[in-house]
């Protein structure tokens, strides 16, 4: 308000409008990842989507806190559009069990805190074939039928296991000659052709 007591038209009002737009605001989805795999075996890549949920242009960088956790590309920019980044896992040398890490997305021009993506990687042991019994002995007469026997086969490790069975003698057969197990026991019949 302008006030001039001796002037006509006083006081004079000046209207002022202040418009504030939001600053850059990094956003990401998903904000947690839970990959699973087997020890010493490749774990499939995953993806995160990063964008500017605020105003203006936003440049950002991405870092991780574990050597087995990588993101590509490691930076980007957004005016609101979504960018996809690939999350990869290097499991070489990692033990069986749970491994945790974080992905940090930071925008230097933003006043908001960096976005954190939590990662919980679970590694199971590789498949491990097991069999009982581990030796068979059978007796019979020449040119006479010899009774069948049975073996039990299962996966004593992690994941799913497909397997095949062979013999080294023509008079020795096993049926069926293959199977699969995620821990369940399969019975196979051992036959003798005398």
């Amino acid at each position: 308000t302008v006030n001039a007591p001796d002037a006509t038209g006083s006081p004079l009002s000046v209207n002022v409008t202040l418009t504030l737009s939001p600053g850059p605001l990094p956003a990401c989805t998903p904000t947690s990842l839970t990959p699973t795999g087997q020890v010493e075996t490749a774990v499939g890549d995953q993806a995160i989507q990063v964008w500017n949920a605020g105003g203006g242009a936003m440049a950002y960088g991405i870092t991780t806190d574990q050597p087995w956790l990588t993101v590509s590309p490691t930076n980007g920019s957004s005016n609101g559009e979504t960018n996809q980044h690939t999350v990869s896992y290097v499991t070489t040398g990692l033990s069986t069990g749970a491994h945790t890490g974080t992905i940090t997305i930071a925008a230097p021009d933003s006043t908001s805190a960096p976005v954190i993506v939590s990662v919980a990687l679970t590694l199971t042991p590789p498949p491990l074939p097991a069999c009982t019994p581990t030796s068979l002995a059978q007796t019979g007469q020449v040119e006479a039928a010899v009774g069948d026997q049975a073996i039990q086969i299962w996966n004593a490790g992690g994941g799913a296991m497909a397997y095949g069975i062979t013999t080294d003698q023509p008079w020795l057969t096993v049926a069926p000659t293959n199977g699969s197990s995620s821990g369940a026991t399969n019975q196979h019949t051992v036959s003798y052709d005398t």
Side-chain angles (χ1 to χ4, degrees):
T1 301
V2 179
N3 193 3
D6 297 332
T8 1
S10 179
L12 177 65
S13 296
V14 178
N15 294 324
V16 178
T17 302
L18 175 63
T19 303
L20 297 177
S21 60
L25 178 65
C28 178
T29 187
T31 54
S32 65
L33 296 170
T34 55
T36 60
Q38 292 178 356
V39 172
E40 300 296 330
T41 303
V43 175
D45 292 346
Q46 294 182 292
I48 57 173
Q49 314 291 330
V50 179
W51 71 96
N52 178 11
M58 179 187 77
Y60 61 91
I62 303 176
T63 58
T64 68
D65 66 347
Q66 297 295 334
W68 50 265
L69 179 61
T70 62
V71 179
S72 177
T74 58
N75 53 51
S77 62
S78 172
N79 292 318
E81 72 278 7
T82 300
N83 299 323
Q84 180 168 301
H85 297 262
T86 301
V87 180
S88 301
Y89 311 97
V90 181
T91 60
T92 303
L94 293 180
S95 60
T96 299
H99 303 270
T100 58
T102 58
I103 299 169
T104 301
I105 302 158
D109 295 333
S110 176
T111 56
S112 68
V115 175
I116 302 296
V117 178
S118 61
V119 179
L121 170 65
T122 302
L123 295 178
T124 59
L128 178 65
C131 178
T132 187
T134 55
S135 65
L136 294 172
Q138 185 64 294
T139 58
Q141 294 180 350
V142 174
E143 300 297 331
V146 176
D148 293 344
Q149 292 180 297
I151 58 174
Q152 314 291 329
I153 298 177
W154 70 96
N155 177 11
M161 177 188 76
Y163 61 89
I165 304 172
T166 60
T167 69
D168 64 352
Q169 298 296 329
W171 49 265
L172 179 63
T173 60
V174 179
T177 58
N178 55 49
S180 62
S181 172
S182 295
T185 299
N186 299 323
Q187 181 168 301
H188 296 264
T189 301
V190 180
S191 301
Y192 308 92
D193 182 5
T194 59

